[in-house]
Amino acid sequence: MEIPVDVVVFGGGIQGLLILSDLLEAGYNAVLVERFRPGIGQTGHSHVFLHQGHMFGSGKDRADSYRKIDNLRRGFVAWERELSKPRLSGLQRINHSLFTGFTPFSNRQQTFEDCCSAKNLPYTPITGVAAPSPAPVAGRSMFQTQSICLSANELLNALLGWNRASERVYVNPAVRIRGAGASTLVELPAVEGAAGIIFRPKAAVLAAGAGNERLLAELSRDPAFEPGPARQQTVKTYMLVIRGRHTSLPLASGFLPDDGGIFFAPREIDGRVTWLIADGQRKHIAHPGDWPGFEAAEWFARIKIRLAAACPPLATSPQDFEWGIYEASKAELFTEDPRDPGAGGILPGNYFVTRCKNTNTWVTWPAFLTCAPLVSQAVVTGIQQALGTASALSVQPPPPAAL
């Protein structure tokens, strides 16, 4: 079965679904292809924390910090616009306080205050008022601002429900892409009794996270395909998941630059608050399936020491909490480590969208979900410039294997 479409989007996370939704809003006949099910990757475990830029306020390079803050502020404002539109207006905002804490005599604190003042980032020093226990505040100079998280599941459902987008999501574990330029071909082999499908899109968008590497490798088999100078890096990260056994944790988030870059954000599950805690530890890996040299036990031992110093209740009463570790691979724009020329793995401070040479194929790396609306806008603008007016083609209903 061959189905004519304008655009095929790869990747059923928040970024891919937002691009699909924006393309449909612009009048394009677009479909989305996902290997498993929407939200099964990094999105499904995200706290969808909408950054305003505070996490970059204490960086050593002031100009670099300003650029990164500007990017996140633009993304935050874009999300505020998105949440006022009909498709997301019913989405619950998880409003809470963000605490940023510095150890005594920290050389980062003044930099943070100067940066926030220069970029008009809201922050209030906490004097005589404690952050909600057991938030990581012990012995820290604290600053407070208001922040927002979104429910990843609610956001996914809202995007799937708008404009009947779920009818345009095709799930196929063996999807293939090949060709370049006008000859791009997307194949969905027959599975579980459903007929195979072929798409011949005018444009393709790779928003599949770590899966972009496999898709780019398939496209690169065509001699006419040139991916361009941009490269993807895949990093391995861990996240600590903590929930109180007897009482709910406070609805709060925090960032501790002097404690290994610990960042924690809340997520409400079944009416109970869960903290997702990460730090600056990340390992650049050659392939998404490789996990050498960076094991969970080693990582947990390090972050536990830092948490014990900043948040004593977690160390003195570990039995009062439920603990878990989430392991993930994350796809980003290749960012070189200045301490190790040629090596990647550094957290990029900006989103990136690139159009591959000689073809209407776009590759996306949002870096932070805060930047997802900006990525989507860039993709839609690029497709409008390349394809012109959206076509009025109709799309057949997806096969039974799709959503």
Side-chain angles (χ1 to χ4, degrees), residues 282-295:
R282 56 203 341 255
K283 175 71 174 179
H284 183 213
I285 55 178
H287 303 287
D290 293 344
W291 305 117
F294 189 42
E295 297 304 322

Side-chain angles (χ1 to χ4, degrees), residues 123-137:
Y123 75 103
T124 303
I126 300 177
T127 55
V129 179
S133 179
V137 298

Side-chain angles (χ1 to χ4, degrees), residues 16 86 89 183 193 198 210 230 280 286 329 336 338 343 360 367 390:
S89 60
S183 62
I198 294 176
S329 59
E336 189 173 75
N360 289 335

Side-chain angles (χ1 to χ4, degrees), residues 6 9 25 30 34 41 49 73 141 148 168 178 217 229 250 264 271 285 291 299 321 339:
D6 294 330
V9 180
E25 290 272 324
E34 165 61 43
F49 182 91
R73 287 287 284 177
S141 298
I148 300 173
R168 292 173 175 265
R178 55 188 174 90
F264 69 100
I285 55 178
W291 305 117
W299 172 82
F321 305 93
R339 300 163 299 182

Side-chain angles (χ1 to χ4, degrees), residues 107-190:
N107 58 6
R108 299 172 183 260
Q109 180 176 332
Q110 190 59 54
T111 302
F112 174 81
E113 295 186 66
D114 293 344
C115 216
C116 287
S117 297
K119 303 308 294 183
N120 295 317
L121 284 179
Y123 75 103
T124 303
I126 300 177
T127 55
V129 179
S133 179
V137 298
R140 271 63 179 164
S141 298
M142 301 298 295
F143 299 86
Q144 180 180 10
T145 189
Q146 292 303 302
S147 196
I148 300 173
C149 286
L150 303 175
S151 165
N153 287 335
E154 287 185 12
L155 180 54
L156 285 169
N157 290 333
L159 291 172
L160 285 167
W162 186 253
N163 274 343
R164 300 172 67 179
S166 63
E167 298 179 12
R168 292 173 175 265
V169 175
Y170 291 71
V171 176
N172 191 296
V175 58
R176 297 189 294 267
I177 183 172
R178 55 188 174 90
S183 62
T184 299
L185 188 72
V186 179
E187 296 178 277
L188 278 62

